[in-house]
Amino acid sequence: MKRIAVVTSGGDVPGLNACVRAVTRTAIHHGCEVLGVRRGYEGLIDGLFIPLTSRDVSGILRQGGTILGTARSERFITEAGQRQALAQLQRAGIDGLVVIGGNGSLKGAYQLYKLGMPLVGVPKTIDNDQYGTDIAIGVDTALNTIADAVGRIKDTATSHNRAFLIEVMGRQCGYLALASGIICGAEMVLIPEQPATMEQVAQVIVDSYRIGKAHCIIIVAEGWKPGLQALKAYLSSVPGNSRFDVREVVLGHIQRGGTPTAFDRLLATRMGVLAVESLLDGSGHGKMVALHGAQLEMVDLGEATSRTKPLSRDLLRIAELLCK
Ligand code: F6P
């Protein structure tokens, strides 16, 4: 291969730049020219390629976001969009592609591969819902950000004897809520995978004060139903609850920004290097780089994108044991 391209697609995460840097420098080391794709799959469809030199990726290792830009692309979901992207890649003389993306983007990558484009996927998502890998780029930084924020909230909650409902990201997956509940010592975790009634939540708050706690921290995953606002409304309507104040905080996109942790920098760099080397020697075509234990391995993209990653039973059990 003489010319490869790299694209970041879907929601951004800390560590994307570290990966783009590793991809660029590894490919240049092996004698390849590198092009970056602007604005994710949208840019791929529109042929927005920019040359990347070693100097262009200098100093970005610790930067959050992505220097290439990213997007959620409706057009790339269609075969017409994928074919247009393929034509743009061929027109630009690109022999191989590294796709750094979450589940939706990697599904799209697999379609592009089946249309004939040699490519390798690299998993990134703060949600940790990518099947086939223990963890993806971005998860560790997001968890650290949440831990820092919850710690601050806990300080003020304790001073005022308050209950806090803290919403963390995860539309379909409760991993961030579950893991942050455990590492922050929350009293309760509400996740889409496990039903809990609003009456149960009210009872946890009442019990927290009854046993002498000075606060009650409830971590709510974005995808938990009926949702943070409904819960807040319910709690304020329960008679006799005036003994405690309830406040809510939505952490939102703060979780997606910031400088990547040491873990994410290393993971992103290792994954970027392997993605390029397995693209160049052909062993990674149609595959995704994955972390299993401490080892990086290649897994089939079709397999990795055909299933939903289940929540760790171990973490569920620990939360049940300790979050109360
Ligand atoms: O998929 C990652 C994620 O961060 C989810 O946790 C969240 O629900 C979603 O992206 C938010 O997406 P957007 O930035 O497009 O609103």
Side-chain angles (χ1 to χ4, degrees), residues 7-312:
V7 61
T8 52
S9 169
D12 64 344
V13 304
L16 288 178
N17 284 328
C19 192
V20 168
R21 174 181 176 272
V23 166
T24 303
R25 291 196 173 168
T26 306
I28 290 171
H29 171 83
H30 288 290
C32 281
E33 222 182 300
V34 187
L35 298 179
V37 182
R38 301 296 324 274
R39 300 196 51 244
Y41 285 152
E42 284 292 292
L44 199 54
I45 292 170
D46 294 336
L48 304 180
F49 302 113
I50 49 162
L52 288 178
T53 67
S54 212
R55 291 283 63 77
D56 292 325
V57 294
S58 175
I60 65 169
L61 185 56
R62 54 176 295 284
Q63 271 176 31
T66 162
I67 59 159
L68 297 176
T70 187
R72 296 196 189 275
S73 175
E74 292 292 323
R75 287 191 291 164
F76 197 78
I77 297 170
T78 66
E79 193 181 323
Q82 292 154 11
R83 286 197 180 278
Q84 208 173 323
L86 182 67
Q88 294 283 16
L89 285 159
Q90 288 166 342
R91 201 166 305 145
I94 294 162
D95 319 301
L97 178 68
V98 175
V99 176
I100 313 169
N103 201 43
S105 304
L106 293 175
K107 266 189 188 139
Y110 186 53
Q111 296 310 317
L112 192 60
Y113 166 71
K114 286 199 289 184
L115 290 177
M117 186 69 210
L119 59 83
V120 176
V122 177
K124 67 85 220 170
T125 166
I126 65 165
D127 296 350
N128 205 14
D129 60 351
Q130 181 58 53
Y131 183 79
T133 183
D134 292 352
I135 197 159
I137 300 170
V139 177
D140 186 66
T141 307
L143 262 184
N144 277 282
T145 303
I146 296 169
D148 179 61
V150 174
R152 288 163 193 265
I153 293 167
K154 217 167 174 178
D155 289 344
T156 173
T158 307
S159 305
H160 286 266
N161 280 30
R162 280 175 173 159
F164 269 85
L165 310 174
I166 305 172
E167 186 186 281
V168 299
M169 276 189 169
R171 252 194 303 242
Q172 268 113 34
C173 175
Y175 178 85
L176 281 178
L178 185 63
S180 62
I182 292 170
I183 63 170
C184 297
E187 274 64 40
M188 192 178 200
V189 167
L190 299 170
I191 53 177
E193 293 86 347
Q194 270 186 341
T197 66
M198 298 201 277
E199 289 79 5
Q200 284 170 318
V201 181
Q203 194 57 50
V204 167
I205 298 176
V206 170
D207 288 348
S208 297
Y209 290 110
R210 193 177 44 76
I211 64 170
K213 291 196 179 199
H215 57 246
C216 179
I217 301 293
I218 299 180
I219 311 277
V220 188
E222 194 185 0
W224 176 77
K225 297 281 181 283
L228 181 83
Q229 292 311 328
L231 177 59
K232 170 87 165 86
Y234 170 80
L235 290 173
S236 55
S237 75
V238 177
N241 266 3
S242 52
R243 281 170 43 237
F244 53 83
D245 261 353
V246 181
R247 296 283 190 272
E248 85 272 25
V249 176
V250 177
L251 293 186
H253 288 78
I254 284 172
Q255 297 160 91
R256 290 237 301 260
T259 185
T261 56
F263 179 90
D264 269 331
R265 291 181 203 191
L266 198 54
L267 181 70
T269 301
R270 291 174 67 201
M271 284 185 161
V273 170
L274 181 57
V276 170
E277 291 185 337
S278 67
L279 182 65
L280 297 185
D281 70 15
S283 65
H285 294 186
K287 297 194 176 163
M288 177 187 86
V289 182
L291 187 73
H292 295 149
Q295 235 19 68
L296 282 189
E297 287 167 2
M298 304 304 297
V299 299
D300 195 65
L301 257 181
E303 163 88 4
T305 54
S306 66
R307 305 215 202 149
T308 311
K309 185 179 188 174
L311 273 185
S312 147

